[in-house]
Amino acid sequence: MGKTQVKTLLIGLDGATYDMLDPLVEQGIMPNLGRIMKEGARGILRSTIHPLTPPAWTTMTTGRTPGAHGIFDFIRVDRDGSKPTYTLATSSDVMVPTIWQIASNGGMRATTLNFPVTFPAKPIDGVVIPGYVPWSYLGRAIHPRPVFKMLKEKGVFKASEMSTDWQHERKAVQGLSENQLEDWVNFHIVRERRWFEILMTLIEEEPSELTAVLFDGVDRIQHLCWHLIDPETRDQYTGPEADKTRELVLQYYRDVDDYVQKMIDKAGPQAQVMIVSDHGFTRSGRRIFYANTWLEHQGLLDWVEGTPMDDQGRVALDENTEASTLINWDKTKAYALSSSSNAIFIRKANAPGEPGVPPSEYEAFRDQLIADLLAVTDPDTGMPVIKHVFKREDAFPGAYSDRAPDLTLMLHDFSFLSVLRADQPIKDRQVPYATHHPDGIFVATGPGMAKGKALEPLYIADVAPTAIYSLGLDIPSEMEGKLCEATFEDAYLAENTPRYSDTEQGSGTQDGTVLDAEAQAQIKERLKSLGYL
């Protein structure tokens, strides 16, 4: 064990964007990251067509696009029954090997902390602490189990402080008033410290050649606090509460900057380091598109009698009610189930007389729906609301394209749609909010990495083959992502010729992983609490 050294350190900053990081570097808030970006290589990392956490990180860690790996949202939708149902997407839904499995099957150890869709942990030689797990289950979710005991004895594992709080998750989507933001930021300051301490402990006690950690507070804090630190808007928000929260947000970034440098130092001078994000960020527009309300006005969706009108500018329900329970399925042909997916599903009638669209009419129905969506304009401005509408086969080609939504929307302001009922399809947003943008970050440093180089934009799937190459392993030829050779010095490439293997090592499904009844119950609890749904 003691002889194992970190070869590749992958640091994830969920939602990180140069639009925010560069000003923070200039202000002296993140000097370590500033030096790394200047001395190493950096480029834009382009996300999946819909830049959302589960499909984007899974694309990054498999080198495959969503149509090939099977993850499209926080949820997996089942449309085979009399009405649509859904459950939480888990590791069992990832249909191809991850870089953790590839490294393990290649004779190396791997450590992965806090990444989505890694629960239940698939067995590898190394350590898995999954992300997006309820705190009461997190200890039992760790692989292997003895690591949990060791971390507890070291005093660095405190589940209630580091795991997902679903009340907080809901707030991240719905928005908070100014007097609630302080607690929100403090929660993530503490949470990131826990993940940092665990990683540092594992490098010491359970070292792995491939070591990865995801800090996701970047995303959550930017959703709600972007307006307080964005150079274009921060001067509009003054007063004791805004000033105190702004300083806390800056402290969060100072902490992360410190953690990045300390992790690199702990990994050792031999480690090649990649700092990545699953997507970027930008401020949302001032309006919300209520997709199901628009579908209702088109005569394509009906609500359960008594479904209330939203008057709070929300995208999903505050309580544990699923959006599907609001819809009258006997009279619905098209619907949105989650704000996170920005997707519209079309109901197909399985037999004559059943609700939905007959298969023979599907293509014409879908084409008309696309045309009508692209024609939606904001009555206040006259401007189009929807920038692109992607068909599933165009956005997500691959073996699992049939799991994808029929249509995926990209709004002009990149914001998330609302699944709720309202009196109008387009209404004002009531609190400042920021949203996902397709352009994330890729930064590389370490021995053999390019120095002071501006890279051409990469695609998010390119990270996996680049990490596999960094480990010295064969790159699976089935990966859709491409090795970013420009990340490395010419001399390093010449001495370490990239090798490719025709067959992927391992499988995304053949590991016998199953969920016990308690885990199923925990996941259902989490699913109902997710603010996106």
Side-chain angles (χ1 to χ4, degrees):
M1 278 296 193
K3 295 182 180 179
T4 301
Q5 291 185 312
V6 178
K7 292 177 65 69
T8 304
L9 176 62
L10 183 67
I11 301 172
L13 304 178
D14 198 299
T17 172
Y18 295 120
D19 288 345
M20 184 60 69
L21 297 183
D22 284 341
L24 292 174
V25 168
E26 291 174 8
Q27 296 168 43
I29 303 297
M30 304 188 81
N32 295 312
L33 185 60
R35 186 186 67 258
I36 292 167
M37 291 193 294
K38 182 177 180 180
E39 296 177 355
R42 64 174 268 177
I44 289 172
L45 188 61
R46 290 187 169 145
S47 188
T48 45
I49 280 182
H50 179 51
L52 180 67
T53 296
W57 282 116
T58 307
T59 296
M60 183 182 295
T61 59
T62 64
R64 308 288 287 273
T65 55
H69 61 60
I71 301 296
F72 302 93
D73 193 359
F74 287 96
I75 60 175
R76 172 170 51 83
V77 179
D78 183 357
R79 297 189 275 177
D80 291 337
S82 59
K83 63 180 182 180
T85 60
Y86 54 83
T87 188
L88 191 69
T90 72
S91 62
S92 300
D93 298 305
V94 181
M95 308 307 292
V96 295
T98 61
I99 55 176
W100 336 117
Q101 292 171 287
I102 294 169
S104 181
N105 291 331
M108 294 184 175
R109 288 173 55 83
T111 290
T112 169
L113 307 180
N114 199 32
F115 282 80
V117 207
T118 56
F119 173 76
K122 293 185 176 182
I124 60 170
D125 183 6
V127 178
V128 181
I129 305 183
Y132 288 87
V133 177
W135 74 266
S136 59
Y137 201 84
L138 185 58
R140 287 165 286 174
I142 294 176
H143 166 84
R145 289 302 301 275
V147 169
F148 169 64
K149 181 179 179 181
M150 181 271 292
L151 294 174
K152 288 285 287 184
E153 290 175 348
K154 295 286 184 180
V156 297
F157 185 90
K158 300 179 181 180
S160 61
E161 293 183 348
M162 57 180 283
S163 186
T164 301
D165 180 308
W166 302 120
Q167 295 296 328
H168 283 225
E169 289 303 303
R170 186 182 301 119
K171 292 174 183 177
V173 178
Q174 303 292 18
L176 291 174
S177 60
E178 293 294 331
N179 63 1
Q180 295 175 300
L181 292 176
E182 181 182 340
D183 288 345
W184 174 251
V185 180
N186 272 323
F187 170 77
H188 288 95
I189 287 175
V190 173
R191 187 167 181 264
E192 305 297 45
R193 187 183 307 129
R194 297 291 168 246
W195 286 112
F196 163 70
E197 291 172 348
I198 286 175
L199 183 80
M200 296 290 277
T201 302
L202 289 174
I203 292 178
E204 183 71 30
E205 301 291 333
E206 295 278 344
S208 295
E209 285 90 347
L210 173 59
T211 299
V213 63
L214 172 58
F215 295 106
D216 51 18
V218 181
D219 177 286
R220 289 160 170 76
I221 288 173
Q222 288 178 167
H223 268 306
L224 303 186
C225 302
W226 180 276
H227 62 291
L228 296 176
I229 53 175
D230 179 5
E232 294 191 22
T233 60
R234 63 191 178 196
D235 293 339
Q236 301 171 27
Y237 298 91
T238 58
E241 288 179 348
D243 291 345
K244 187 173 183 179
T245 302
R246 180 167 26 248
E247 183 51 42
L248 282 173
V249 172
L250 296 179
Q251 185 59 52
Y252 170 86
Y253 284 104
R254 289 188 187 97
D255 288 351
V256 170
D257 185 68
D258 183 54
Y259 299 158
V260 166
Q261 187 59 56
K262 287 179 177 176
M263 290 187 295
I264 291 174
D265 292 343
K266 187 70 171 179
Q270 78 291 335
Q272 294 183 328
V273 181
M274 286 174 268
I275 304 170
V276 295
S277 67
D278 54 336
H279 53 73
F281 245 81
T282 189
R283 56 186 166 274
S284 292
R286 65 179 186 87
R287 306 277 271 171
I288 297 175
F289 176 55
Y290 288 78
N292 282 335
T293 298
W294 180 82
L295 290 168
E296 175 195 11
H297 288 198
Q298 301 298 113
L300 302 177
L301 179 145
D302 188 42
W303 301 98
V304 171
E305 185 176 353
T307 297
M309 298 283 186
D310 176 60
D311 60 0
Q312 300 176 45
R314 299 177 299 169
V315 298
L317 293 167
D318 284 339
E319 303 305 328
N320 291 346
T321 304
E322 299 173 15
S324 61
T325 63
L326 307 179
I327 297 172
N328 177 3
W329 293 108
D330 290 337
K331 298 180 180 180
T332 293
K333 294 183 177 180
Y335 55 92
L337 279 183
S338 71
S339 66
S340 54
S341 64
N342 265 16
I344 291 178
F345 291 86
I346 297 171
R347 282 194 89 188
K348 285 187 180 180
N350 296 320
E354 290 191 357
V357 179
S360 61
E361 300 175 14
Y362 173 80
E363 292 294 343
F365 179 89
R366 187 173 63 163
D367 288 343
Q368 185 61 54
L369 185 55
I370 292 172
D372 292 342
L373 284 163
L374 291 173
V376 175
T377 57
D378 187 326
D380 281 7
T381 65
M383 299 299 293
V385 172
I386 299 165
K387 187 174 185 177
H388 295 296
V389 180
F390 299 97
K391 296 180 180 180
R392 64 161 58 164
E393 63 269 26
D394 296 330
F396 308 115
Y400 302 99
S401 180
D402 61 336
R403 295 185 180 184
D406 297 271
L407 300 176
T408 298
L409 312 185
M410 178 184 288
L411 277 60
H412 268 280
D413 67 354
F414 297 102
S415 63
F416 293 107
L417 56 78
S418 175
V419 300
L420 301 183
R421 187 183 189 188
D423 56 353
Q424 296 294 329
I426 300 171
K427 299 188 68 174
D428 283 341
R429 190 179 302 279
Q430 297 191 7
V431 294
Y433 194 71
T435 190
H436 298 179
H437 187 278
D439 291 348
I441 71 165
F442 178 89
V443 179
T445 188
M449 306 295 244
K451 305 293 190 295
K453 188 171 186 178
L455 302 170
E456 293 295 319
L458 299 78
Y459 178 54
I460 193 168
D462 298 340
V463 174
T466 304
I468 293 298
Y469 170 74
S470 172
L471 291 169
L473 298 174
D474 291 0
I475 300 169
S477 57
E478 292 88 346
M479 283 186 173
E480 296 165 84
K482 305 299 181 186
L483 167 64
C484 183
E485 295 190 2
T487 303
F488 301 90
E489 295 175 336
D490 290 342
Y492 184 88
L493 287 165
E495 294 174 6
N496 300 274
T497 304
R499 305 187 311 271
Y500 293 83
S501 172
D502 290 336
T503 304
E504 286 182 311
Q505 296 176 330
S507 165
T509 57
Q510 297 174 356
D511 54 29
T513 300
V514 294
L515 295 175
D516 61 29
E518 185 176 9
Q520 290 275 14
Q522 291 279 345
I523 286 178
K524 188 65 174 177
E525 176 188 344
R526 177 202 155 168
L527 176 63
K528 288 185 176 181
S529 298
L530 264 173
Y532 284 119
L533 302 184

